[in-house]
Amino acid sequence: MALSNALQQLKDSLSCCTYHGDQHSHVLIKEADPAAKLTKVTLTAPTGDWFSFDPDKGRGKAAQMSPLLATGKGQNHHRACDCVVLIDRGGRLTALYVDLKSGNPVGYSGQFKSTRQFVRYALGLLEEFHGTKIVLVDERFVVLYGGKPASVKVVVASPIF
């Protein structure tokens, strides 16, 4: 099953895409921080009209995803969660925001807010400059955390996918 034209167009506009439902049945989320205790999570998903991207990899001093996400002092909005999965159901989009945390989970609220705004920005650009409208109808936020070094496998079923 190929991605819908609208979702393919959105995927093509991002430089940090990781997995997509026309070729994958999972999403592997990795935490880059060497001090992290929870380092990997695998989301199992059916094939379909979805893709994931890693907003954390698309930001930094030389932001690859967007200069709006370049990091710098005092820029609380320049934050990102570890993974976003976008699922298209006939032009109606569900966004699943995932962040991995070790020990006591803190700091995810700002990461989710910043990433959510970027997704809305990307959808607005797609509509404004390409005439493709995808309606964002549902957003879900997931924090996965653990206290010991771990690799976790999470099976995600309907109604998300």
Side-chain angles (χ1 to χ4, degrees):
M1 165 185 244
L3 297 180
S4 65
N5 288 338
L7 204 61
Q8 184 66 50
Q9 208 169 21
L10 180 58
K11 180 181 165 286
D12 291 345
S13 72
L14 299 170
S15 61
C16 52
C17 295
T18 51
Y19 301 92
H20 39 96
D22 59 343
Q23 294 184 3
H24 301 101
S25 61
H26 73 281
V27 176
L28 178 61
I29 306 168
K30 294 182 184 178
E31 173 57 60
D33 182 354
K37 291 181 174 66
L38 180 60
T39 57
K40 287 191 265 180
V41 170
T42 302
L43 301 178
T44 302
T47 57
D49 203 10
W50 62 267
F51 76 89
S52 65
F53 69 97
D54 183 346
D56 220 10
K57 283 201 177 14
R59 53 189 281 283
K61 298 218 183 290
Q64 297 171 1
M65 186 167 43
S66 168
L68 288 174
L69 294 180
T71 56
K73 275 190 161 184
Q75 304 296 333
N76 290 331
H77 67 284
H78 293 167
R79 303 179 70 198
C81 60
D82 292 312
C83 182
V84 178
V85 181
L86 299 174
I87 306 147
D88 185 1
R89 293 187 191 112
R92 298 170 54 85
L93 193 69
T94 296
L96 175 66
Y97 305 91
V98 182
D99 202 44
L100 307 184
K101 293 293 181 189
S102 297
N104 184 24
V106 296
Y108 54 85
S109 178
Q111 291 170 290
F112 284 148
K113 286 179 183 179
S114 181
T115 307
R116 180 184 66 200
Q117 289 306 317
F118 178 78
V119 167
R120 292 174 178 179
Y121 169 73
L123 291 173
L125 289 177
L126 191 65
E127 182 177 0
E128 182 74 23
F129 296 105
H130 297 284
T132 302
K133 181 167 181 72
I134 302 177
V135 179
L136 184 60
V137 295
D138 193 16
E139 295 176 297
R140 302 195 184 184
F141 304 86
V142 178
V143 176
L144 300 170
Y145 67 96
K148 296 180 180 178
S151 179
V152 177
K153 182 174 184 176
V154 177
V155 177
V156 179
S158 294
I160 294 175
F161 287 95

